[in-house]
């Protein structure tokens, strides 16, 4: 089965990991080392940011 490319850029994921406090784990262990809860919180925050950007459009 082919891997799907991610919807979020690497930079966005790193910024969210820093904001949410688990970037050290990412640096140490890679993305596979984060907890499912952290991954879920990252997606939730990305959705919040997207929604904010949509509501702030002219």
């Amino acid at each position: 089965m082919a891997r799907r490319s991610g919807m979020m850029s690497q930079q966005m994921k790193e910024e969210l990991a820093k904001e949410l406090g688990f970037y050290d784990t990412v640096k140490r262990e890679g993305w596979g080392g984060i907890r499912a809860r952290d991954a879920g919180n990252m997606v939730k925050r990305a959705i919040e940011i997207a929604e904010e950007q949509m509501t702030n459009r002219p």
Side-chain angles (χ1 to χ4, degrees):
M1 177 183 275
R3 285 192 86 154
R4 293 175 22 179
S5 64
M7 297 296 290
M8 273 191 269
S9 70
Q10 186 68 23
Q11 180 182 357
M12 176 72 165
K13 290 193 293 188
E14 289 175 3
E15 288 176 13
L16 289 171
K18 288 174 186 175
E19 178 181 328
L20 297 171
F22 58 87
Y23 184 67
D24 288 340
T25 302
V26 173
K27 284 189 349 186
R28 203 173 44 249
E29 302 176 29
W31 290 106
I34 67 172
R35 300 177 309 175
R37 179 180 296 249
D38 291 333
N41 287 337
M42 188 170 68
V43 171
K44 181 179 176 182
R45 181 65 182 128
I47 292 169
E48 289 171 351
I49 291 169
E51 288 175 341
E52 289 170 6
Q53 290 176 348
M54 288 176 58
T55 59
N56 292 335
R57 284 190 172 170

